[in-house]
Amino acid sequence: DEDLQELQQQALGTSQETTSAIQSCLRVAEGMRHEATQTIVQLHEQGQQIRRTHESALVLEQELNKGEKLLASLGGIFSRPWRPKRGQELSGPLDFHHVHAAAHPDRKEFFEGNGAAPKSSSSPPQHASTFQSHVQDERAKQDEALSSLSSVLDQLKEMSATMGDELGRQNESLSRLHGDVSELEFRVKNANQREHQLL
């Protein structure tokens, strides 16, 4: 009986260690989910800032159009006719209608954890029926923690795909913004040359 109880205690201790290890993995995964959520929110805000910057560039183009018309009308018979030089039409900000659901910061499952599984009992078994009960309890805790861990890992996979999509859109947005800003810079430089000629 003593040997059997000792083996049972060792088996239960190993089961409790396994439960503790799974719960520790779950806590780490939930921490990663929290950090990923904050990253998605920041990426979303960064994308909005890029769009606002590009919209400001379009407002600048409207003002530049007015200035170019004014410069073209100045000079009269004392200067050659002037037409503003233009390279290409502005593309404007990237317009994407489909935004992945995970990019929305109000998705509760990205902020709320499933909670760690209950702590395992450390009391040693007194007899065979109690041992079986403790083992079943530990298995139930492990199953619950593994289910929660699987759910969190699925969410992390989805969030990772969302961040990749958002970064891809922002790279394209920045490329379009760079092209439009370069075009505006070229036109402003040309308009400045016309102004110096008139002066």
Side-chain angles (χ1 to χ4, degrees), residues 70-82 194 198:
L70 180 60
L71 287 173
S73 66
L74 295 176
I77 62 174
F78 300 103
S79 66
R80 298 177 183 177
W82 180 81
R194 172 60 176 176
L198 291 173

PDB file of all heavy atoms in Angstrom, residues 70-82 194 198:
ATOM      1  N   LEU A  70      -2.809  81.613 -62.482  1.00  0.00           N
ATOM      2  CA  LEU A  70      -2.450  83.011 -62.289  1.00  0.00           C
ATOM      3  C   LEU A  70      -1.110  83.325 -62.962  1.00  0.00           C
ATOM      4  O   LEU A  70      -0.965  84.344 -63.647  1.00  0.00           O
ATOM      5  CB  LEU A  70      -2.386  83.330 -60.798  1.00  0.00           C
ATOM      6  CG  LEU A  70      -2.016  84.763 -60.420  1.00  0.00           C
ATOM      7  CD1 LEU A  70      -3.040  85.740 -60.992  1.00  0.00           C
ATOM      8  CD2 LEU A  70      -1.918  84.918 -58.913  1.00  0.00           C
ATOM      9  N   LEU A  71      -0.141  82.453 -62.788  1.00  0.00           N
ATOM     10  CA  LEU A  71       1.165  82.670 -63.411  1.00  0.00           C
ATOM     11  C   LEU A  71       1.067  82.637 -64.935  1.00  0.00           C
ATOM     12  O   LEU A  71       1.780  83.362 -65.632  1.00  0.00           O
ATOM     13  CB  LEU A  71       2.152  81.603 -62.934  1.00  0.00           C
ATOM     14  CG  LEU A  71       2.658  81.732 -61.494  1.00  0.00           C
ATOM     15  CD1 LEU A  71       3.486  80.513 -61.106  1.00  0.00           C
ATOM     16  CD2 LEU A  71       3.479  83.008 -61.329  1.00  0.00           C
ATOM     17  N   ALA A  72       0.185  81.799 -65.459  1.00  0.00           N
ATOM     18  CA  ALA A  72       0.026  81.710 -66.913  1.00  0.00           C
ATOM     19  C   ALA A  72      -0.582  82.975 -67.496  1.00  0.00           C
ATOM     20  O   ALA A  72      -0.333  83.328 -68.654  1.00  0.00           O
ATOM     21  CB  ALA A  72      -0.827  80.503 -67.263  1.00  0.00           C
ATOM     22  N   SER A  73      -1.385  83.675 -66.685  1.00  0.00           N
ATOM     23  CA  SER A  73      -2.047  84.885 -67.183  1.00  0.00           C
ATOM     24  C   SER A  73      -1.188  86.133 -67.052  1.00  0.00           C
ATOM     25  O   SER A  73      -1.519  87.171 -67.617  1.00  0.00           O
ATOM     26  CB  SER A  73      -3.360  85.092 -66.427  1.00  0.00           C
ATOM     27  OG  SER A  73      -3.101  85.365 -65.055  1.00  0.00           O
ATOM     28  N   LEU A  74      -0.101  86.049 -66.297  1.00  0.00           N
ATOM     29  CA  LEU A  74       0.761  87.210 -66.084  1.00  0.00           C
ATOM     30  C   LEU A  74       1.794  87.343 -67.200  1.00  0.00           C
ATOM     31  O   LEU A  74       2.130  86.372 -67.873  1.00  0.00           O
ATOM     32  CB  LEU A  74       1.473  87.099 -64.733  1.00  0.00           C
ATOM     33  CG  LEU A  74       0.571  87.150 -63.486  1.00  0.00           C
ATOM     34  CD1 LEU A  74       1.402  86.930 -62.236  1.00  0.00           C
ATOM     35  CD2 LEU A  74      -0.185  88.463 -63.416  1.00  0.00           C
ATOM     36  N   GLY A  75       2.320  88.527 -67.364  1.00  0.00           N
ATOM     37  CA  GLY A  75       3.380  88.765 -68.329  1.00  0.00           C
ATOM     38  C   GLY A  75       2.926  89.457 -69.583  1.00  0.00           C
ATOM     39  O   GLY A  75       3.634  90.308 -70.127  1.00  0.00           O
ATOM     40  N   GLY A  76       1.748  89.092 -70.075  1.00  0.00           N
ATOM     41  CA  GLY A  76       1.214  89.749 -71.265  1.00  0.00           C
ATOM     42  C   GLY A  76       2.139  89.638 -72.459  1.00  0.00           C
ATOM     43  O   GLY A  76       2.735  88.591 -72.734  1.00  0.00           O
ATOM     44  N   ILE A  77       2.297  90.758 -73.179  1.00  0.00           N
ATOM     45  CA  ILE A  77       3.106  90.771 -74.392  1.00  0.00           C
ATOM     46  C   ILE A  77       4.602  90.806 -74.103  1.00  0.00           C
ATOM     47  O   ILE A  77       5.417  90.693 -75.015  1.00  0.00           O
ATOM     48  CB  ILE A  77       2.737  91.992 -75.269  1.00  0.00           C
ATOM     49  CG1 ILE A  77       3.041  93.275 -74.495  1.00  0.00           C
ATOM     50  CG2 ILE A  77       1.292  91.920 -75.718  1.00  0.00           C
ATOM     51  CD1 ILE A  77       2.840  94.526 -75.348  1.00  0.00           C
ATOM     52  N   PHE A  78       4.935  90.973 -72.819  1.00  0.00           N
ATOM     53  CA  PHE A  78       6.348  91.105 -72.463  1.00  0.00           C
ATOM     54  C   PHE A  78       7.022  89.764 -72.191  1.00  0.00           C
ATOM     55  O   PHE A  78       8.199  89.713 -71.880  1.00  0.00           O
ATOM     56  CB  PHE A  78       6.498  92.007 -71.230  1.00  0.00           C
ATOM     57  CG  PHE A  78       5.967  93.387 -71.464  1.00  0.00           C
ATOM     58  CD1 PHE A  78       4.740  93.757 -70.955  1.00  0.00           C
ATOM     59  CD2 PHE A  78       6.678  94.309 -72.221  1.00  0.00           C
ATOM     60  CE1 PHE A  78       4.232  95.027 -71.166  1.00  0.00           C
ATOM     61  CE2 PHE A  78       6.177  95.573 -72.441  1.00  0.00           C
ATOM     62  CZ  PHE A  78       4.947  95.944 -71.926  1.00  0.00           C
ATOM     63  N   SER A  79       6.307  88.722 -72.270  1.00  0.00           N
ATOM     64  CA  SER A  79       6.898  87.409 -72.022  1.00  0.00           C
ATOM     65  C   SER A  79       6.222  86.369 -72.900  1.00  0.00           C
ATOM     66  O   SER A  79       5.126  86.583 -73.405  1.00  0.00           O
ATOM     67  CB  SER A  79       6.756  87.018 -70.542  1.00  0.00           C
ATOM     68  OG  SER A  79       5.387  86.841 -70.211  1.00  0.00           O
ATOM     69  N   ARG A  80       6.893  85.272 -73.036  1.00  0.00           N
ATOM     70  CA  ARG A  80       6.340  84.201 -73.831  1.00  0.00           C
ATOM     71  C   ARG A  80       5.156  83.554 -73.101  1.00  0.00           C
ATOM     72  O   ARG A  80       5.105  83.568 -71.874  1.00  0.00           O
ATOM     73  CB  ARG A  80       7.397  83.137 -74.083  1.00  0.00           C
ATOM     74  CG  ARG A  80       8.595  83.631 -74.870  1.00  0.00           C
ATOM     75  CD  ARG A  80       9.606  82.516 -74.991  1.00  0.00           C
ATOM     76  NE  ARG A  80      10.815  82.965 -75.678  1.00  0.00           N
ATOM     77  CZ  ARG A  80      11.884  82.193 -75.866  1.00  0.00           C
ATOM     78  NH1 ARG A  80      11.884  80.960 -75.394  1.00  0.00           N
ATOM     79  NH2 ARG A  80      12.934  82.673 -76.495  1.00  0.00           N
ATOM     80  N   PRO A  81       4.236  82.976 -73.854  1.00  0.00           N
ATOM     81  CA  PRO A  81       3.144  82.239 -73.193  1.00  0.00           C
ATOM     82  C   PRO A  81       3.721  81.103 -72.352  1.00  0.00           C
ATOM     83  O   PRO A  81       4.690  80.451 -72.744  1.00  0.00           O
ATOM     84  CB  PRO A  81       2.313  81.704 -74.363  1.00  0.00           C
ATOM     85  CG  PRO A  81       2.649  82.599 -75.501  1.00  0.00           C
ATOM     86  CD  PRO A  81       4.075  83.014 -75.313  1.00  0.00           C
ATOM     87  N   TRP A  82       3.116  80.896 -71.206  1.00  0.00           N
ATOM     88  CA  TRP A  82       3.649  79.882 -70.291  1.00  0.00           C
ATOM     89  C   TRP A  82       2.558  78.889 -69.960  1.00  0.00           C
ATOM     90  O   TRP A  82       1.409  79.258 -69.683  1.00  0.00           O
ATOM     91  CB  TRP A  82       4.155  80.555 -69.015  1.00  0.00           C
ATOM     92  CG  TRP A  82       4.710  79.572 -68.014  1.00  0.00           C
ATOM     93  CD1 TRP A  82       5.953  79.007 -68.023  1.00  0.00           C
ATOM     94  CD2 TRP A  82       4.042  79.058 -66.855  1.00  0.00           C
ATOM     95  NE1 TRP A  82       6.105  78.171 -66.946  1.00  0.00           N
ATOM     96  CE2 TRP A  82       4.951  78.178 -66.215  1.00  0.00           C
ATOM     97  CE3 TRP A  82       2.761  79.239 -66.305  1.00  0.00           C
ATOM     98  CZ2 TRP A  82       4.625  77.498 -65.043  1.00  0.00           C
ATOM     99  CZ3 TRP A  82       2.437  78.561 -65.145  1.00  0.00           C
ATOM    100  CH2 TRP A  82       3.364  77.698 -64.517  1.00  0.00           C
ATOM    101  N   ARG A 194       8.993  80.109 -63.177  1.00  0.00           N
ATOM    102  CA  ARG A 194       8.175  81.085 -63.899  1.00  0.00           C
ATOM    103  C   ARG A 194       8.076  82.386 -63.121  1.00  0.00           C
ATOM    104  O   ARG A 194       8.160  83.483 -63.677  1.00  0.00           O
ATOM    105  CB  ARG A 194       6.777  80.500 -64.121  1.00  0.00           C
ATOM    106  CG  ARG A 194       5.757  81.466 -64.688  1.00  0.00           C
ATOM    107  CD  ARG A 194       6.170  82.002 -66.048  1.00  0.00           C
ATOM    108  NE  ARG A 194       5.143  82.858 -66.620  1.00  0.00           N
ATOM    109  CZ  ARG A 194       5.280  83.521 -67.764  1.00  0.00           C
ATOM    110  NH1 ARG A 194       6.422  83.429 -68.442  1.00  0.00           N
ATOM    111  NH2 ARG A 194       4.299  84.283 -68.225  1.00  0.00           N
ATOM    112  N   LEU A 198       9.282  86.196 -64.339  1.00  0.00           N
ATOM    113  CA  LEU A 198       8.430  87.383 -64.351  1.00  0.00           C
ATOM    114  C   LEU A 198       9.050  88.528 -63.546  1.00  0.00           C
ATOM    115  O   LEU A 198       8.967  89.692 -63.926  1.00  0.00           O
ATOM    116  CB  LEU A 198       7.052  87.045 -63.794  1.00  0.00           C
ATOM    117  CG  LEU A 198       6.178  86.131 -64.665  1.00  0.00           C
ATOM    118  CD1 LEU A 198       4.905  85.728 -63.921  1.00  0.00           C
ATOM    119  CD2 LEU A 198       5.821  86.824 -65.971  1.00  0.00           C
TER     120      LEU A 198
END
